[in-house]
Each structure stands twice: as C-alpha cells, then as structure tokens.
Amino acid sequence: MDAMTPTTVLTVGPLVITDTVVTSAALSLLLAGGLSLAVRMEGPREALEVVYETLEGTLRDMVTVDVTPIVPLILTQWAFIAAANLVGVLPIVASPTRDLSLTAALAVISLGAGHVYGFRAHGWRYLKSYVSPNPLMLPFNIIGELSRTVALALRLFGNVASGELIGAIVLSLAGPLLPVPLMLLGLITSVVQAYIFGVLTLVFTASAMQVAADRTHPTPEAT
Amino acid sequence: MTFDLTTFLFELVDFLVLVVVLWRFVLKPLSAGIATRRAALRASMDDTAARFAEAERFKAELEGRSKALDELRDQIMGEATAEAASERARILAQAREDAASERSRVQTLLDAEREAALAWVRDEAVERGTEVAGKLLLSLAPAAAHGALVDRLVAEIHARPAPFRGAAHVELTLPGLDDAGGVERIRAALAEVAGKPVELVLREDRAIGAGAVLRVGDHRFDASVAGQLEILRDEARRHLDEREA
C-alpha cells in the first residue's frame, strides 16, 4: 500500500522531491529525447509522420473549429499520460498519474488552454461567455469550469490509482502471477484514459473557442 | 490521496516544457515534413492534372484527326466507289460492244459458212441430180436418147451453117464408133451446108454418154448427154441463184 502514495526521494529545504517528480521528469526526458532522436532517423520519422497525420486527422474530425494550435498540446497529453500510465507496469516504478498533484497540474493546463486559445481567438470578448446568457449565470459558469477541471483531474487519478490499488491488493493476497490479467487490462485502461483526457481537453478548448466564435459571429439560427 | 504543491508546480512546468520541446523538436519537424510531402503531392497532382489536361487535349486533337481521317476515308471511298462504278459501266459497255462486235463477226462467219454450206449442198444436189438424171436417161432409153441428140445436132448444123462453110475437116466425137447411121446423117448435113463433102475425124469418148459433139475450128457443137447434163446443171444453178437472190 505504500506504493499508492508518492514517496519522498529528496528534500531540498522546503522543496520535497517525490518519486512522481522523478518519474515524470524521466518520462519527459525519454519522450523528448527519444522522439527527437526518432525524428532525425528516416524510418522512424516516416512512421511518426503517419502516426502524427492520423492523430491530427482524428482531432480535426472531432470538432468543427480549427484545431491546429491545440494539436501539440493534445498529442503531448496523449503521449505523456499514456507513458505515465503504462510505466506503472514496470515492477519497481509506480505510475506518476496515481498522484493527484500531477493529474491536477494536467487538468489546470487543460483549463488554461481553453482560456488561452479563447483569448487568442477572440480577445477580451471571450470573457463574455462567463456572463452568458445573463450576468446572473457568472457564478454557475465559474463553478462549471472549476468542477470540470476537478473532474478531469480526479477521473484520471481515480482510474489509475484504483487500478494500482486493486493490483496491489490482489498481489498481496494471491501471489505474483494473479495480477497479470489485471495488468493486461490496465494496459488498455491506461491508453483509454490518456485518450479520454486528451479528447476532453480538446472538446473543452474547442468549446471555449466555439462559444466565443458564436457570440462574435452569430449564426442565422442563433439570431 | 494527497496534494503536494511542489509536485503540482513541478509537473505544471515539466509538462509545459515537454509541450514546448516536443513541439519545437518533434511535432514541428513532423508537421513541416508532412506539409512538404503534401506540397510535393499537390505539385505532383497538379502536374498529373496538367498532364491529364494535356492528354485530354492531345486526345481531342487525335479524335479530331481521326474524324478528319474518317471524313477523308469516306471521301476517298466515295470517289473510289464512283470511279469504280464508272469504270464498271465503261468496262460493261466495252464488253457489250465487244460482244456485239464478236457476235456480228461470228454471225457473219456463220452466214458465210451457211452460204457456203448451202452452195455446196446446192451444187451437190444439182450435181447428183443431173448425174442421176443422166444415168436414168442412159439406162432407160440409151438408143432413143442417142438418136434424138444426133437429130438435134443435125438440126443445129442446119440452123448455124456459117462455121462449116469452107471447113476442110470436122472433128466428131461419139460415145462409140458403132453408130454408122448417125455418122452418115451428120456427114450429109455437113456436106449440104458446106456445099461439098467434109472430112470427118471420128473420136470415141464414152464419157459423153450418148449423142455427139462437133468441133470445127474454134466452134463446138455439143449434142451429147454429158453436154446436155452440163447445160441442165448450169440452168439449175442459175435458177437456184435467182431464187436465192
């Protein structure tokens, strides 16, 4: 059960470095280094281009707005979260996404992305979406944004942490071989959770851009 | 379930840095590569479209040429057909003309051959008829015929006496030398018209059949069956010629 909570690796003054930080930093370095290296090799680069084109096409098909500026964020989320979820399969490494601090950071980035791209697309008029359809809805809109962000963080954290917890319980009760099917199921769950997180980020961001767009350029049906 | 602010902030920074790094060193090159490839593909498609348009234009040109060639072929075929029809008509006319000419020539030949055949048949008929008539005459009444012919010769001497006047001798041809009576009658008739006895040179020629032939100088008096048959033959021929005409 100790593996379920982040363990402190290093303490520098008031800063406490946990295994989550170490693992996520290592994953970031591996992803950045590995993919940068792969891009410079002809064969892997062609494979990456096919993957990139496919995923980008998938993102474009999901929403009606231009997703070009969001693509790097969503693809990075998919890659990072999938890697972070899958790394928990290794015996001595715990999945960093079992740490609410990390999932919260990802959710905040998702929240911030919607606002950033909303502002980039429509400027300050984007803020009018908070007082839509009337100023009385301002608190509810704020609560909605926050709850959506919290749900995003908790969904990922809950799925990964529960999977690790169930694996640990089965391992402690039945021995080392029995958790294998659960781990195989966990592989699928890891990828699916990464996909869901990225898609939700995409939908929230695109929704923010679309709301602003609708308000800026009302459609005939809206008028 | 714990929340650590340090971890939160580090992860915030870590992820944003990762986004920037991946965008700068991975996604941007990939995107650029894809854009380059799409541009090359688009250029290739444009080139293909241009080539296709060129091919379409060339196809249209070839179709135009083909149409022109078809028209030329039809024109040549029409001219050749008309020329062939004209040549056929000319050859047919020539053939008809040649056939008519040949038919006329053959007809002329046939007419000539028919005429020749008819003439031959006529001559043969006259020849055989007179021959049969002579044989009949000589077989049925040779003596009577001979006497009658000698009488005709005597009458002829009296009718045309001029050649015998002053003649020293006369040649007398008989079918046999046994008719002394007939010779004497002729001799007497000659002496009478000449005013003096005339020497008779007798000759025997069985071919004359019956009767006698006198020759004095260039004059010939024929009162023989052969001579009469010859006259009959000439008469018959003349008569047939007149009928044919």
Side-chain angles (χ1 to χ4, degrees):
Chain A
M1 297 297 170
D2 294 339
M4 290 306 303
T5 55
T7 55
T8 304
V9 178
L10 181 65
T11 304
V12 182
L15 299 178
V16 178
I17 308 301
T18 63
D19 62 337
T20 301
V21 172
V22 174
T23 307
S24 62
L27 283 175
S28 297
L29 286 174
L30 279 175
L31 281 174
L35 291 175
S36 300
L37 195 63
V39 164
R40 282 162 178 74
M41 294 186 289
E42 191 174 351
R45 180 193 175 97
E46 289 175 357
L48 284 175
E49 281 184 357
V50 173
V51 172
Y52 177 83
E53 205 168 7
T54 305
L55 294 178
E56 188 188 27
T58 305
L59 294 177
R60 289 186 188 282
D61 293 339
M62 284 180 184
V63 292
T64 55
V65 297
D66 181 21
V67 296
T68 306
I70 324 171
V71 169
L73 174 67
I74 306 300
L75 293 184
T76 307
Q77 277 186 342
W78 277 348
F80 180 76
I81 296 171
N85 290 345
L86 290 170
V87 80
V89 177
L90 298 176
I92 58 169
V93 183
S95 179
T97 44
R98 83 197 186 302
D99 191 339
L100 183 61
S101 307
L102 187 146
T103 59
L106 294 176
V108 167
I109 290 171
S110 178
L111 170 70
H115 290 85
V116 168
Y117 289 115
F119 271 106
R120 281 181 59 177
H122 307 290
W124 290 102
R125 284 176 298 181
Y126 169 70
L127 290 178
K128 289 182 181 177
S129 63
Y130 281 95
V131 292
S132 174
N134 57 60
L136 291 176
M137 295 300 291
L138 177 63
F140 299 104
N141 282 330
I142 294 172
I143 291 171
E145 290 284 337
L146 291 177
S147 64
R148 200 166 63 184
T149 307
V150 171
L152 204 58
L154 287 178
R155 182 184 298 109
L156 179 59
F157 164 74
N159 277 287
V160 178
S162 62
E164 296 241 339
L165 181 60
I166 291 170
I169 290 171
V170 172
L171 181 66
S172 63
L173 291 177
L177 289 180
L178 200 58
V180 170
L182 293 173
M183 292 169 71
L184 292 175
L185 184 63
L187 293 178
I188 300 171
T189 308
S190 301
V191 177
V192 170
Q193 286 304 317
Y195 177 76
I196 289 172
F197 197 98
V199 168
L200 286 174
T201 303
L202 170 70
V203 170
F204 295 156
T205 309
S207 174
M209 294 166 73
Q210 185 67 49
V211 166
D214 288 346
R215 203 166 290 137
T216 309
H217 305 290
T219 60
E221 290 79 9
T223 56
Chain B
M1 179 174 167
T2 57
F3 181 82
D4 180 51
L5 186 60
T6 307
T7 304
F8 173 79
L9 293 174
F10 177 82
E11 295 300 341
L12 210 61
V13 173
D14 176 57
F15 185 78
L16 290 176
V17 169
L18 181 62
V19 170
V20 172
V21 169
L22 285 185
W23 167 241
R24 173 67 184 80
F25 295 106
V26 179
L27 300 179
K28 198 173 179 180
L30 287 178
S31 181
I34 290 169
T36 305
R37 201 174 63 208
R38 281 179 179 164
L41 191 62
R42 195 174 298 113
S44 176
M45 287 177 70
D46 291 343
D47 182 56
T48 304
R51 286 170 185 249
F52 184 75
E54 177 70 15
E56 286 290 325
R57 190 189 62 74
F58 189 59
K59 181 186 170 191
E61 184 182 333
L62 286 181
E63 285 176 349
R65 286 187 190 175
S66 174
K67 190 177 177 184
L69 286 176
D70 286 345
E71 289 175 357
L72 183 62
R73 183 199 62 200
D74 292 343
Q75 181 186 347
I76 291 173
M77 285 288 290
E79 290 176 356
T81 304
E83 191 175 343
S86 171
E87 184 67 13
R88 176 175 170 274
R90 190 189 64 76
I91 290 171
L92 278 175
Q94 180 69 37
R96 285 196 188 99
E97 189 179 336
D98 291 347
S101 172
E102 186 67 15
R103 190 169 59 234
S104 174
R105 188 182 66 81
V106 170
Q107 188 65 44
T108 305
L109 284 176
L110 285 174
D111 290 345
E113 285 191 8
R114 186 171 61 85
E115 288 295 327
L118 284 173
W120 180 80
V121 169
R122 193 171 57 224
D123 287 346
E124 280 295 311
V126 170
E127 189 69 29
R128 298 296 163 231
T130 52
E131 185 180 342
V132 168
K135 284 182 179 178
L136 278 174
L137 183 63
L138 292 175
S139 63
L140 290 176
H146 179 71
L149 288 171
V150 170
D151 290 343
R152 175 180 287 190
L153 182 61
V154 171
E156 187 74 19
I157 291 169
H158 284 291
R160 292 192 297 162
F164 302 105
R165 289 172 185 155
H169 59 88
V170 173
E171 182 183 295
L172 176 63
T173 303
L174 293 168
L177 299 179
D178 51 351
D179 184 16
V183 170
E184 281 308 318
R185 278 196 293 151
I186 293 168
R187 190 189 305 274
L190 288 173
E192 186 180 349
V193 296
K196 62 175 181 177
V198 176
E199 184 186 355
L200 281 178
V201 180
L202 296 177
R203 290 187 60 225
E204 183 180 3
D205 183 3
R206 291 187 180 279
I208 64 173
V213 177
L214 269 181
R215 183 184 299 274
V216 53
D218 294 334
H219 296 275
R220 188 171 182 269
F221 295 86
D222 191 344
S224 65
V225 168
Q228 294 306 309
L229 287 178
E230 187 63 34
I231 292 167
L232 178 63
R233 193 178 292 122
D234 291 342
E235 286 289 330
R237 282 174 181 157
R238 188 167 57 253
H239 178 68
L240 288 174
D241 288 342
E242 288 173 355
R243 279 189 64 190
E244 187 69 20

